[in-house]
Amino acid sequence: FDVEGGYVVMIQDRVLFDSGSAALGGEGAEALAALAQEINQAPHGKIIVRGHTDSDPVKKPETRAKFPHGNLQLSAERAVSVAAFLIGQPGVSASDVVVMGFGPWNPLRANDSSDSKRLNRRVEILISDPES
């Protein structure tokens, strides 16, 4: 969707990652490769990758061992995975990419149902206009 100064692509976490993981899956890699091609079709400014989680705490011991700082760390590492993949694509420069992790603190909806939580678990990619 369009925003002032660019546009945002929002990808639900289930497309990109398995639960409790920051490793990209095959479907996620395909979606990001297509996005990289789209980004490179026109001049752009910064590419800001923002990771988000729901409010459920990281509980599984093996997941907690990977992400001892919980959802904030999970959201940031997912954003890093997406950014690293995009940087690996032709035409995407590392100097254009910024990474942010929000954890559960910037929800789209209240974390009061499984549907709302699903929407809150996402990666947003803001592609800014060249002059922004």
Side-chain angles (χ1 to χ4, degrees):
F1 57 91
D2 289 334
V3 295
E4 185 176 337
Y7 66 97
V8 174
V9 175
M10 190 171 10
I11 305 173
Q12 295 301 306
D13 75 321
R14 62 181 157 66
V15 173
L16 298 171
F17 309 103
D18 289 336
S19 178
S21 173
L24 281 174
E27 185 181 0
E30 288 177 25
L32 292 174
L35 177 60
Q37 288 179 346
E38 178 185 320
I39 290 170
N40 287 318
Q41 289 178 0
H44 60 82
K46 292 290 183 189
I47 300 168
I48 303 168
V49 181
R50 305 183 295 205
H52 301 269
T53 66
D54 62 25
S55 61
D56 291 346
V58 174
K59 290 182 184 175
K60 292 181 184 175
E62 62 273 12
T63 306
R64 192 88 172 130
K66 287 189 277 187
F67 307 107
H69 301 289
N71 282 325
L72 181 60
Q73 185 177 11
L74 176 60
S75 69
E77 290 198 28
R78 285 180 168 182
V80 167
S81 291
V82 168
F85 183 88
L86 290 173
I87 291 166
Q89 300 301 298
V92 179
S93 171
S95 64
D96 289 339
V97 179
V98 177
V99 173
M100 304 169 98
F102 288 87
W105 294 291
N106 195 7
L108 292 175
R109 301 224 174 123
N111 282 291
D112 56 4
S113 72
S114 59
D115 285 341
S116 292
K117 288 178 183 182
R118 179 182 46 78
L119 290 173
N120 291 335
R121 294 186 304 265
R122 68 200 187 278
V123 172
E124 298 171 337
I125 304 165
L126 168 62
I127 298 91
S128 65
D129 295 334
E131 62 276 358
S132 292

